[in-house]
Amino acid sequence: MKVAIIAPIKFLRKYCITKFYLCYADIALWSTDYLNFYRERAKTDFVILDHSPKIPRKPLLNSVYLEAIREIAPGAVVLPNIDYSCTKTLSLSTEFYERYIPLGGKGPYPKLIGVAQGTDLKEIKKCISGFKNMVDLIGLPSSCERFIPRYRLLPLISRPIIYLEVYSDPYKEVLGNKLVVGICTSLPLRLAYDLRRLIEFIPTPKPLDFYKETEPLPELAKENVGEYLDLIGETE
């Protein structure tokens, strides 16, 4: 399984040490350093482009998102989605898909990630099936955990799966399910900023400040990142 460590802009090079990355479009279009880091990585490694780290999840305007796609040339793109809403997610994803696919352009298209949304098992299942042939992968956001543990959704999915952020027990993400191909998270660093080790994940640390200038305790941050990569079994 692959792991994308999510870090503040100033510390991307120090802690994003795998060849699997998650980039947020709204930050990339504001920060040249952030944009350049992921644009360079996308030339040789696998970069997923998502809309924003803000919670609850809401998409950018299609025109803005398309600009970020052109700038970064990612390996995969997260389709527009709204936390907790199956109907709006399917509508927005379909609208983007129909507008994006005819554009053409240089090189192969990135893979498309449809994000499973809903407020119960029935709605989330409807959302997953509603993507039909639009998507290559299914994204399971941390917001799912509010209603149902993500591992309970795995039997419903036949496509490769990406976990988008971790706000609960990191040890439960060690699933042994071959369809789960990657996890994208800032948890190891969020805990380090609170002077906590990975095992001290309760209470959930606050969301990451991407513009933070101060570094977490380096020894603890490196320990948390290393332990997380070992725990998940990060592979090339």
Side-chain angles (χ1 to χ4, degrees), residues 2-5 18-22 46 48 162 182-184 234:
K2 298 182 183 298
V3 178
I5 296 295
T18 67
K19 294 187 177 182
F20 186 68
Y21 302 90
L22 179 74
F46 195 82
I48 296 172
I162 299 287
I183 296 178
C184 310
E234 209 281 335

Side-chain angles (χ1 to χ4, degrees), residues 117-199:
Q117 295 285 7
T119 56
D120 56 32
L121 183 58
K122 182 178 179 181
E123 281 192 359
I124 295 173
K125 184 177 180 180
K126 178 182 176 182
C127 189
I128 292 169
S129 63
F131 288 122
K132 298 180 181 177
N133 295 323
M134 272 196 298
V135 304
D136 304 286
L137 304 97
I138 296 294
L140 294 182
S142 57
S143 56
C144 284
E145 298 280 352
R146 182 173 179 179
F147 305 104
I148 183 169
R150 284 184 278 194
Y151 69 83
R152 287 187 56 194
L153 299 175
L154 300 184
L156 306 178
I157 304 171
S158 58
R159 296 186 177 110
I161 299 162
I162 299 287
Y163 273 36
L164 300 171
E165 259 299 4
V166 176
Y167 277 89
S168 56
D169 184 348
Y171 297 92
K172 286 186 178 178
E173 313 298 3
V174 186
L175 303 166
N177 187 307
K178 292 182 179 180
L179 283 176
V180 182
V181 296
I183 296 178
C184 310
T185 184
S186 60
L187 181 63
L189 295 183
R190 295 190 343 256
L191 287 169
Y193 273 114
D194 283 356
L195 300 179
R196 288 190 273 162
R197 297 175 58 220
L198 196 63
I199 198 171

Side-chain angles (χ1 to χ4, degrees), residues 22-40:
L22 179 74
C23 172
Y24 290 112
D26 63 344
I27 300 176
L29 295 175
W30 280 97
S31 168
T32 301
D33 289 342
Y34 188 88
L35 171 62
N36 288 339
F37 177 84
Y38 286 107
R39 184 160 51 191
E40 285 302 310

Side-chain angles (χ1 to χ4, degrees), residues 9 35 41 200:
I9 298 167
L35 171 62
R41 297 309 182 279
E200 301 172 295

